[in-house]
Amino acid sequence: MTDAATADTGKIELQVIRVFCGGDGGGGNPLGVVRNGAACPAEADRQALATRLGFSETVFIDDEGRGVVDIYTPSARLPFAGHPLVGTAWLLRRFGRPVAVLRPPAGEVAVTHDGEFTWVRGRPEWVTGRRTEEYGSPDEVDALPAPPPGEGWLYAWAWRDRAAGAVRARGFPRRGDGITEDEATGAAALALTHQLGRPLDIRQGAGSQILTRPRPDGAIDLGGRVALVEADEAG
């Protein structure tokens, strides 16, 4: 593997990408992708690696052809998460192994590509433990300390343009694992879209963009841009 942000940690092949980038190429939530999940098969070892890497999520690909993946935060295993699945779908396509479906523990996740956007499909019942709170203006959201007082996952948001479905948001895991603020959060965006019942254009964090669109069957599509992390970004 020759990409700038690919590391060979012993037998682990790690690729770092940014998911949900803004239109100017900025923003995006860093994601660690272990392409050869079989090199780290034990759940405890995967959790230890995700903790050591310190990304908001790290995903392990267990079967590229079938799209079987396993997702971890620095402190927990997740059945579903938006930014790891969008990033993995984009990366597999880039490496010439596109999939129509990804298979995290939650269930089958349809994958599509539309120009510069990669889309995955999730269900509201797969997203738990994330509370949304509406604020009066984007300025109020921007003024929040990181993290705000309190416990539990908080998705703070405000309308930028209600008629256009444009939202300003920030995500705070508040779980004590070193992730003070999540730059871009697909699962929380899915929860908010389900709550509001309409497509959204979410600008989150320092410069990320998440697009969402509800479907008639209750599922919700999450779309975003993805970029490789350059060597100087990776340190």
Side-chain angles (χ1 to χ4, degrees), residues 33-48:
V33 181
V34 177
R35 282 196 69 193
N36 59 336
C40 186
E43 184 174 334
D45 292 337
R46 292 182 173 192
Q47 184 63 75

Side-chain angles (χ1 to χ4, degrees), residues 29-115:
N29 198 0
L31 173 70
V33 181
V34 177
R35 282 196 69 193
N36 59 336
C40 186
E43 184 174 334
D45 292 337
R46 292 182 173 192
Q47 184 63 75
L49 179 60
T51 301
R52 179 165 65 84
L53 292 173
F55 299 118
S56 60
E57 277 110 7
T58 298
V59 59
F60 296 80
I61 301 177
D62 289 320
D63 186 327
E64 287 191 351
R66 295 185 61 244
V68 179
V69 297
D70 198 15
I71 306 166
Y72 292 78
T73 74
S75 60
R77 185 175 186 243
L78 300 179
F80 172 87
H83 114 273
L85 295 174
V86 169
T88 300
W90 179 90
L91 192 64
L92 287 174
R93 187 182 191 216
R94 186 179 187 280
F95 283 128
R97 300 296 303 274
V99 294
V101 176
L102 287 173
R103 293 178 169 88
E108 293 192 350
V109 173
V111 172
T112 56
H113 302 274
D114 178 13

Side-chain angles (χ1 to χ4, degrees), residues 9 17 32 47 61 98 114 130 147 160 171 175 183 186 217 226 231:
T9 307
I17 54 182
Q47 184 63 75
I61 301 177
D114 178 13
R130 289 169 175 82
R160 293 187 297 116
R175 58 187 174 225
E183 171 62 26
D217 65 355
V226 184

